[in-house]
Amino acid sequence: MEKIFKKIHFPYLVGYGMTEACPLLAYEHWTKYVAGSCGKAVDCATVRIDSEDPQHIAGEIQAKGENITIGYFKNPEASANAFTDDGFLRTGDLGIIDKDGNIFIKGRSKSMILTANGQNVYPEEVEAVVNNQPFVAESVVVDRAGLIVALVYLDKDAMKAANLDEEAISDLPERIRSGANRQLPGYSKIAKVEPVLVPFEKTPKMSIKRFLYK
C-alpha cells in the first residue's frame, strides 16, 4: 500500500503512540517520512530500544519524557511494573531504530514466537503477508509445538463473487500457505493454514483478542 501511495504522490505518514504517552511517541512530516517506519521520537520524549543492537535486533520500545504518564490511578502495582528502574515506560511493543532515529515496529512482546532454532518471529508481520493472500479476510498466527500455524477467516463474499466450487474452497488453505511462504523468510514459514468458521473476537478498538487463540 505504501508503494501505491508513493507512486500516486499521495501525502501520508504513519505515527505511533499510546494513551500513556498523551498520546504520541513518534511522528515525522510526510515529506521526510521513511516507508515502513512510524517516524521519529517526538520532541518532548526520549525513545530507546532495549536491545544490545537497537539498529538490527528488536527489543522493547521504551520512552521517557514530559508527555509520559506518571502511573495508573490507584494502581501502584501496575504503575511499578510499567516502568524500568531508570524511569522509562515499558510500551510492550518491539522494534528497532535506524541511525537516523526512525522507529520500526515489529510486534508485541507478548505475542512474539521464539522458534526452536532461536529465531524471533513476529506474528503481526506474518499475518500481514497472509492477509494479502486471495480470499483471506483476517488471520491470527500461533505457535503449536514449535510450528507456525495460521488461523484464517476466509472472505465469504469474495469466494461467492469468484464462484468457487467446493473443491476450490477445500484447496484454499494450501494455496494460502504456499502463497504466503513464497514471501516469507525460511524461519517464519507457515506449516499449516487452518480455516476458522467465524470472525475473530475483537476489543472495542477492533484489535483481535489473540490470547483467545492457540
Side-chain angles (χ1 to χ4, degrees):
M1 187 168 290
E2 287 191 314
K3 289 179 180 178
I4 293 173
F5 284 162
K6 290 284 187 182
K7 187 174 181 179
I8 65 175
H9 305 291
F10 184 86
Y12 79 100
L13 57 86
V14 177
Y16 165 53
M18 55 195 301
T19 303
E20 290 86 344
C22 300
L24 203 58
L25 279 173
Y27 166 88
E28 180 60 281
H29 191 272
W30 68 268
T31 58
K32 300 178 181 178
Y33 170 73
V34 175
S37 76
C38 59
K40 300 181 177 70
V42 294
D43 293 342
C44 59
T46 298
V47 176
R48 71 184 185 187
I49 305 296
D50 185 22
S51 167
E52 59 186 28
D53 184 1
Q55 290 189 32
H56 303 101
I57 301 175
E60 184 180 44
I61 301 171
Q62 300 176 348
K64 187 176 185 179
E66 297 176 0
N67 61 320
I68 305 299
T69 182
I70 59 173
Y72 298 103
F73 186 61
K74 293 185 178 180
N75 195 336
E77 182 178 355
S79 298
N81 292 334
F83 292 89
T84 64
D85 291 339
D86 56 349
F88 276 75
L89 174 71
R90 303 179 187 272
T91 67
D93 295 317
L94 297 172
I96 59 176
I97 186 166
D98 69 13
K99 59 182 178 61
D100 297 315
N102 295 296
I103 300 167
F104 297 80
I105 297 176
K106 295 297 184 181
R108 292 285 294 171
S109 58
K110 291 181 179 179
S111 61
M112 186 190 75
I113 297 171
L114 182 64
T115 65
N117 59 2
Q119 290 279 2
N120 294 336
V121 173
Y122 306 102
E124 297 87 349
E125 292 187 337
V126 179
E127 290 159 3
V129 175
V130 173
N131 291 343
N132 276 329
Q133 302 306 306
F135 307 109
V136 175
E138 56 185 0
S139 66
V140 172
V141 168
V142 299
D143 175 22
R144 288 186 181 168
L147 298 177
I148 297 174
V149 175
L151 309 180
V152 172
Y153 178 65
L154 297 172
D155 188 333
K156 296 179 181 178
D157 290 336
M159 291 190 295
K160 183 177 180 180
N163 292 318
L164 298 185
D165 57 25
E166 290 187 9
E167 183 178 356
I169 293 174
S170 66
D171 290 340
L172 280 180
E174 179 56 28
R175 288 171 57 187
I176 293 168
R177 188 188 73 85
S178 59
N181 282 348
R182 283 195 291 270
Q183 302 175 47
L184 292 168
Y187 63 85
S188 63
K189 289 189 182 298
I190 299 166
K192 180 182 179 182
V193 168
E194 183 177 297
V196 298
L197 299 179
V198 296
F200 298 107
E201 289 194 40
K202 299 177 179 67
T203 68
K205 294 192 299 183
M206 297 308 293
S207 298
I208 294 175
K209 296 180 179 180
R210 81 172 53 245
F211 64 88
L212 295 176
Y213 303 97
K214 298 181 180 179

